[in-house]
Amino acid sequence: MQDAFAYCAELVRTADRDRFLSSLFAPAQHRAALHALYAFNVEVARVREVAREPLPGEIRLQWWSEVLRGERAEEARANPVASALLTVIERYRLASAKLTALIDARCFDLYDDPMARLTDLEAYASKTSSALIALAAQLLASENEVTETVANPAGIAYAIAGLVRAFPLHAARRQLYVPLELLERHGVEPQDIFAGKSSKNLRAVFADLQDVVRRHLLAAHQQIAALPDAALPAFLPVALVRPSLDRLARCDPFAPAELSPWRRQWLIWRAARNPARIAG
Protein backbone atom coordinates (compact mmCIF):
# COMPACT_ATOMS: atom_id res chain seq x y z
CA MET A 1 0.00 0.00 0.00
CA GLN A 2 2.89 2.37 0.69
CA ASP A 3 4.04 1.74 -2.88
CA ALA A 4 0.59 2.73 -4.12
CA PHE A 5 0.66 6.03 -2.23
CA ALA A 6 4.24 6.69 -3.36
CA TYR A 7 3.11 6.14 -6.96
CA CYS A 8 0.27 8.65 -6.46
CA ALA A 9 2.65 11.23 -5.00
CA GLU A 10 5.00 10.95 -7.96
CA LEU A 11 2.15 11.11 -10.46
CA VAL A 12 0.81 14.31 -8.89
CA ARG A 13 4.31 15.80 -8.63
CA THR A 14 4.87 15.38 -12.36
CA ALA A 15 1.33 15.88 -13.74
CA ASP A 16 -0.25 18.40 -11.34
CA ARG A 17 2.59 20.41 -9.88
CA ASP A 18 0.39 23.17 -8.41
CA ARG A 19 -1.67 20.77 -6.30
CA PHE A 20 1.45 18.83 -5.32
CA LEU A 21 3.12 22.00 -4.02
CA SER A 22 -0.06 22.97 -2.21
CA SER A 23 -0.23 19.56 -0.53
CA LEU A 24 3.14 20.21 1.11
CA PHE A 25 1.45 22.81 3.31
CA ALA A 26 -0.98 20.20 4.64
CA PRO A 27 -0.17 18.19 7.78
CA ALA A 28 2.09 15.25 6.95
CA GLN A 29 -0.48 12.69 8.07
CA HIS A 30 -2.93 13.86 5.36
CA ARG A 31 -0.58 14.33 2.40
CA ALA A 32 -0.76 10.75 1.14
CA ALA A 33 -4.57 10.98 1.10
CA LEU A 34 -4.42 14.23 -0.87
CA HIS A 35 -2.01 12.65 -3.35
CA ALA A 36 -4.37 9.71 -3.87
CA LEU A 37 -7.30 12.07 -4.51
CA TYR A 38 -5.30 14.29 -6.85
CA ALA A 39 -3.85 11.27 -8.68
CA PHE A 40 -7.39 10.04 -9.33
CA ASN A 41 -8.19 13.45 -10.78
CA VAL A 42 -5.13 13.27 -13.05
CA GLU A 43 -6.22 9.85 -14.29
CA VAL A 44 -9.76 10.88 -15.23
CA ALA A 45 -8.74 14.31 -16.56
CA ARG A 46 -6.32 12.82 -19.07
CA VAL A 47 -8.55 10.01 -20.34
CA ARG A 48 -8.97 11.70 -23.73
CA GLU A 49 -5.20 11.93 -24.21
CA VAL A 50 -4.65 8.32 -23.18
CA ALA A 51 -7.64 6.74 -24.93
CA ARG A 52 -7.55 8.98 -28.06
CA GLU A 53 -11.04 7.82 -29.12
CA PRO A 54 -14.37 8.38 -27.33
CA LEU A 55 -15.37 4.72 -26.92
CA PRO A 56 -12.18 3.57 -25.15
CA GLY A 57 -12.44 6.74 -23.07
CA GLU A 58 -16.01 5.91 -22.07
CA ILE A 59 -14.91 2.40 -21.12
CA ARG A 60 -12.10 3.80 -18.97
CA LEU A 61 -14.38 6.23 -17.15
CA GLN A 62 -16.95 3.47 -16.68
CA TRP A 63 -14.21 1.36 -15.12
CA TRP A 64 -13.57 4.07 -12.55
CA SER A 65 -17.30 4.31 -11.78
CA GLU A 66 -17.42 0.57 -11.22
CA VAL A 67 -14.36 0.74 -8.98
CA LEU A 68 -16.17 3.27 -6.78
CA ARG A 69 -19.19 0.97 -6.62
CA GLY A 70 -16.99 -1.89 -5.45
CA GLU A 71 -17.47 -3.93 -8.63
CA ARG A 72 -13.79 -4.18 -9.64
CA ALA A 73 -12.16 -5.14 -6.35
CA GLU A 74 -9.45 -7.39 -7.77
CA GLU A 75 -8.54 -5.02 -10.60
CA ALA A 76 -8.60 -2.04 -8.22
CA ARG A 77 -6.08 -3.73 -5.92
CA ALA A 78 -3.72 -4.07 -8.89
CA ASN A 79 -4.04 -0.38 -9.83
CA PRO A 80 -2.03 1.85 -7.46
CA VAL A 81 -4.26 4.91 -7.88
CA ALA A 82 -7.50 2.97 -7.45
CA SER A 83 -6.10 1.02 -4.52
CA ALA A 84 -4.93 4.17 -2.72
CA LEU A 85 -8.16 6.03 -3.47
CA LEU A 86 -10.39 3.27 -2.09
CA THR A 87 -8.28 3.21 1.07
CA VAL A 88 -8.73 6.97 1.44
CA ILE A 89 -12.49 6.79 0.81
CA GLU A 90 -12.84 4.22 3.58
CA ARG A 91 -10.46 5.92 6.00
CA TYR A 92 -11.95 9.39 5.63
CA ARG A 93 -15.53 8.30 4.86
CA LEU A 94 -15.62 10.31 1.65
CA ALA A 95 -18.92 10.41 -0.23
CA SER A 96 -18.30 8.57 -3.48
CA ALA A 97 -21.24 10.43 -5.06
CA LYS A 98 -19.04 13.49 -5.65
CA LEU A 99 -16.37 11.33 -7.27
CA THR A 100 -18.95 9.62 -9.48
CA ALA A 101 -20.37 12.99 -10.54
CA LEU A 102 -16.84 14.14 -11.37
CA ILE A 103 -16.35 11.10 -13.59
CA ASP A 104 -19.69 11.70 -15.31
CA ALA A 105 -18.79 15.34 -15.98
CA ARG A 106 -15.50 14.25 -17.57
CA CYS A 107 -17.44 12.42 -20.28
CA PHE A 108 -17.78 15.82 -21.95
CA ASP A 109 -14.00 15.84 -22.53
CA LEU A 110 -14.18 12.78 -24.77
CA TYR A 111 -16.26 14.38 -27.52
CA ASP A 112 -16.10 17.48 -29.70
CA ASP A 113 -19.58 18.71 -28.85
CA PRO A 114 -19.37 22.41 -27.93
CA MET A 115 -20.29 23.82 -24.54
CA ALA A 116 -23.67 25.44 -25.23
CA ARG A 117 -24.22 27.87 -22.39
CA LEU A 118 -22.26 29.62 -19.69
CA THR A 119 -24.34 27.82 -17.07
CA ASP A 120 -23.21 24.51 -18.62
CA LEU A 121 -19.57 25.56 -18.28
CA GLU A 122 -20.08 26.60 -14.66
CA ALA A 123 -21.82 23.30 -13.88
CA TYR A 124 -18.94 21.36 -15.49
CA ALA A 125 -16.40 23.35 -13.45
CA SER A 126 -18.41 22.85 -10.27
CA LYS A 127 -18.64 19.06 -10.69
CA THR A 128 -14.92 18.75 -11.45
CA SER A 129 -12.75 21.48 -9.93
CA SER A 130 -15.06 22.61 -7.11
CA ALA A 131 -15.79 19.03 -6.10
CA LEU A 132 -12.08 18.26 -5.95
CA ILE A 133 -11.43 21.24 -3.66
CA ALA A 134 -14.35 20.28 -1.42
CA LEU A 135 -13.16 16.66 -1.15
CA ALA A 136 -9.58 17.74 -0.41
CA ALA A 137 -10.87 20.10 2.27
CA GLN A 138 -12.89 17.26 3.77
CA LEU A 139 -9.74 15.16 4.06
CA LEU A 140 -8.12 17.98 5.98
CA ALA A 141 -10.95 19.35 8.08
CA SER A 142 -13.96 17.01 7.85
CA GLU A 143 -17.21 18.03 6.20
CA ASN A 144 -18.06 21.66 6.72
CA GLU A 145 -20.89 23.69 5.20
CA VAL A 146 -18.75 26.84 4.92
CA THR A 147 -16.00 24.91 3.13
CA GLU A 148 -18.50 23.60 0.58
CA THR A 149 -19.85 27.12 -0.01
CA VAL A 150 -16.38 28.56 -0.67
CA ALA A 151 -15.23 25.58 -2.75
CA ASN A 152 -17.90 26.12 -5.38
CA PRO A 153 -16.94 29.61 -6.64
CA ALA A 154 -13.23 28.97 -5.99
CA GLY A 155 -13.28 25.81 -8.10
CA ILE A 156 -15.26 27.41 -10.91
CA ALA A 157 -12.78 30.29 -11.08
CA TYR A 158 -9.81 27.90 -11.09
CA ALA A 159 -11.30 25.65 -13.77
CA ILE A 160 -12.35 28.38 -16.19
CA ALA A 161 -9.00 30.14 -15.86
CA GLY A 162 -7.33 26.83 -16.72
CA LEU A 163 -9.57 26.35 -19.75
CA VAL A 164 -8.72 29.86 -20.96
CA ARG A 165 -5.02 28.96 -20.76
CA ALA A 166 -5.64 25.68 -22.61
CA PHE A 167 -7.73 27.32 -25.36
CA PRO A 168 -5.09 26.91 -28.13
CA LEU A 169 -4.75 23.19 -27.40
CA HIS A 170 -8.49 22.64 -27.38
CA ALA A 171 -9.00 24.70 -30.55
CA ALA A 172 -6.34 22.67 -32.35
CA ARG A 173 -8.28 19.46 -31.68
CA ARG A 174 -11.64 21.13 -32.42
CA GLN A 175 -12.81 20.99 -28.85
CA LEU A 176 -14.81 23.98 -27.63
CA TYR A 177 -15.23 24.80 -23.95
CA VAL A 178 -16.00 28.46 -24.70
CA PRO A 179 -19.82 28.62 -24.53
CA LEU A 180 -21.59 29.06 -27.84
CA GLU A 181 -23.82 31.72 -26.31
CA LEU A 182 -20.77 33.95 -25.77
CA LEU A 183 -19.54 33.33 -29.30
CA GLU A 184 -22.95 34.19 -30.73
CA ARG A 185 -23.16 37.31 -28.58
CA HIS A 186 -19.96 38.63 -30.14
CA GLY A 187 -20.42 37.23 -33.64
CA VAL A 188 -17.62 34.64 -33.54
CA GLU A 189 -17.98 31.45 -35.57
CA PRO A 190 -16.59 28.15 -34.20
CA GLN A 191 -14.98 27.48 -37.59
CA ASP A 192 -12.92 30.66 -37.24
CA ILE A 193 -11.61 29.36 -33.93
CA PHE A 194 -10.72 25.98 -35.42
CA ALA A 195 -8.93 27.81 -38.23
CA GLY A 196 -6.85 29.69 -35.66
CA LYS A 197 -8.27 33.11 -36.55
CA SER A 198 -7.96 35.70 -33.83
CA SER A 199 -10.08 38.85 -33.83
CA LYS A 200 -11.30 41.76 -31.74
CA ASN A 201 -14.60 39.92 -31.28
CA LEU A 202 -12.85 36.80 -29.98
CA ARG A 203 -10.92 38.93 -27.50
CA ALA A 204 -14.27 40.34 -26.36
CA VAL A 205 -15.48 36.79 -25.74
CA PHE A 206 -12.48 36.13 -23.57
CA ALA A 207 -12.96 39.42 -21.72
CA ASP A 208 -16.45 38.18 -20.82
CA LEU A 209 -15.05 34.85 -19.65
CA GLN A 210 -12.44 36.58 -17.53
CA ASP A 211 -15.18 38.70 -15.95
CA VAL A 212 -16.99 35.49 -15.04
CA VAL A 213 -13.82 34.17 -13.40
CA ARG A 214 -13.34 37.40 -11.46
CA ARG A 215 -16.95 37.30 -10.25
CA HIS A 216 -16.52 33.79 -8.84
CA LEU A 217 -13.14 34.72 -7.40
CA LEU A 218 -14.72 37.65 -5.57
CA ALA A 219 -17.44 35.38 -4.19
CA ALA A 220 -14.77 33.03 -2.84
CA HIS A 221 -12.66 35.90 -1.48
CA GLN A 222 -15.58 37.24 0.54
CA GLN A 223 -15.85 33.92 2.40
CA ILE A 224 -12.22 32.77 2.71
CA ALA A 225 -11.92 34.15 6.24
CA ALA A 226 -14.69 31.81 7.40
CA LEU A 227 -12.79 28.68 6.35
CA PRO A 228 -11.30 26.41 9.00
CA ASP A 229 -7.52 26.87 8.99
CA ALA A 230 -7.04 23.13 8.48
CA ALA A 231 -8.88 23.28 5.13
CA LEU A 232 -6.78 26.06 3.59
CA PRO A 233 -4.19 23.88 1.77
CA ALA A 234 -7.02 22.54 -0.41
CA PHE A 235 -7.61 26.08 -1.69
CA LEU A 236 -4.01 27.17 -2.28
CA PRO A 237 -3.95 26.50 -6.07
CA VAL A 238 -6.66 29.17 -6.42
CA ALA A 239 -4.00 31.75 -5.52
CA LEU A 240 -2.74 31.38 -9.11
CA VAL A 241 -6.00 32.48 -10.73
CA ARG A 242 -5.84 36.27 -10.41
CA PRO A 243 -2.18 36.61 -11.49
CA SER A 244 -2.90 34.27 -14.42
CA LEU A 245 -5.91 36.36 -15.42
CA ASP A 246 -3.87 39.56 -15.31
CA ARG A 247 -1.45 38.03 -17.83
CA LEU A 248 -4.12 36.47 -20.00
CA ALA A 249 -5.99 39.78 -20.28
CA ARG A 250 -3.00 41.23 -22.12
CA CYS A 251 -2.58 38.30 -24.52
CA ASP A 252 -4.09 37.00 -27.71
CA PRO A 253 -6.33 34.00 -26.89
CA PHE A 254 -4.19 31.83 -29.18
CA ALA A 255 -0.97 32.83 -27.40
CA PRO A 256 -1.65 32.87 -23.64
CA ALA A 257 1.22 33.80 -21.35
CA GLU A 258 2.02 31.29 -18.63
CA LEU A 259 3.23 32.09 -15.15
CA SER A 260 6.74 30.76 -14.67
CA PRO A 261 7.16 27.71 -12.38
CA TRP A 262 9.07 29.70 -9.77
CA ARG A 263 6.35 32.39 -9.68
CA ARG A 264 3.61 29.77 -9.31
CA GLN A 265 5.53 28.25 -6.40
CA TRP A 266 6.03 31.67 -4.80
CA LEU A 267 2.32 32.58 -5.15
CA ILE A 268 1.29 29.34 -3.44
CA TRP A 269 3.84 29.92 -0.65
CA ARG A 270 2.63 33.51 -0.19
CA ALA A 271 -1.01 32.40 0.01
CA ALA A 272 -0.12 29.74 2.58
CA ARG A 273 1.34 32.50 4.77
CA ASN A 274 -1.59 34.86 4.16
CA PRO A 275 -4.87 33.08 3.27
CA ALA A 276 -6.49 36.38 2.24
CA ARG A 277 -4.33 36.14 -0.90
CA ILE A 278 -5.88 32.82 -1.98
CA ALA A 279 -8.66 34.54 -3.88
CA GLY A 280 -7.56 38.13 -3.36
Side-chain angles (χ1 to χ4, degrees):
M1 183 53 66
Q2 287 303 315
D3 288 344
F5 281 106
Y7 177 91
C8 290
E10 182 60 20
L11 176 59
V12 178
R13 188 185 70 81
T14 56
D16 193 347
R17 185 76 174 168
D18 297 336
R19 288 193 176 95
F20 179 79
L21 290 171
S22 298
S23 74
L24 300 180
F25 293 94
Q29 67 266 29
H30 298 309
R31 286 179 202 155
L34 286 174
H35 295 156
L37 178 64
Y38 293 154
F40 159 76
N41 183 63
V42 169
E43 288 289 319
V44 296
R46 66 181 185 182
V47 163
R48 176 165 177 149
E49 284 72 24
V50 173
R52 298 186 180 275
E53 296 291 337
L55 182 56
E58 290 258 18
I59 292 170
R60 187 62 182 164
L61 290 178
Q62 180 62 30
W63 183 87
W64 277 106
S65 295
E66 291 170 1
V67 164
L68 294 178
R69 293 199 298 266
E71 298 173 10
R72 298 273 187 170
E74 189 172 340
E75 293 175 27
R77 280 194 296 270
N79 181 299
V81 177
S83 177
L85 179 67
L86 291 176
T87 299
V88 169
I89 289 171
E90 182 178 0
R91 185 180 299 166
Y92 290 85
R93 298 181 180 179
L94 291 186
S96 59
K98 267 194 174 70
L99 295 168
T100 301
L102 188 156
I103 293 168
D104 292 343
R106 285 292 182 183
C107 285
F108 179 86
D109 301 347
L110 303 177
Y111 297 90
D112 294 335
D113 298 331
M115 194 73 72
R117 298 176 297 275
L118 179 58
T119 52
D120 296 330
L121 177 60
E122 290 171 318
Y124 169 88
S126 178
K127 290 175 183 176
T128 54
S129 180
S130 301
L132 192 65
I133 292 175
L135 288 164
Q138 185 180 337
L139 295 179
L140 298 169
S142 301
E143 241 174 320
N144 181 291
E145 189 174 333
V146 173
T147 300
E148 190 86 22
T149 302
V150 186
N152 196 53
I156 292 172
Y158 185 81
I160 297 179
L163 291 170
V164 169
R165 287 201 321 274
F167 172 73
L169 169 66
H170 294 147
R173 64 189 189 193
R174 304 180 69 82
Q175 193 174 19
L176 200 56
Y177 288 89
V178 181
L180 288 178
E181 71 170 324
L182 291 186
L183 298 182
E184 291 168 359
R185 181 185 303 169
H186 293 283
V188 176
E189 293 292 335
Q191 291 306 318
D192 291 339
I193 290 175
F194 301 146
K197 294 180 182 178
S198 190
S199 67
K200 180 178 68 175
N201 289 1
L202 182 60
R203 288 191 290 275
V205 169
F206 275 80
D208 281 1
L209 267 183
Q210 289 161 15
D211 286 345
V212 171
V213 173
R214 293 182 193 281
R215 174 166 52 83
H216 284 290
L217 207 55
L218 177 61
H221 177 69
Q222 291 171 338
Q223 303 175 81
I224 285 286
L227 285 174
D229 289 345
L232 290 171
F235 290 83
L236 289 178
V238 182
L240 305 172
V241 173
R242 189 175 298 281
S244 292
L245 277 189
D246 291 343
R247 286 201 169 200
L248 292 168
R250 301 190 294 268
C251 297
D252 185 278
F254 285 100
E258 287 281 358
L259 295 171
S260 65
W262 72 265
R263 181 162 172 76
R264 299 177 81 86
Q265 184 170 337
W266 178 76
L267 288 166
I268 289 170
W269 174 84
R270 186 180 68 163
R273 290 175 61 85
N274 180 3
R277 294 185 179 274
I278 289 175

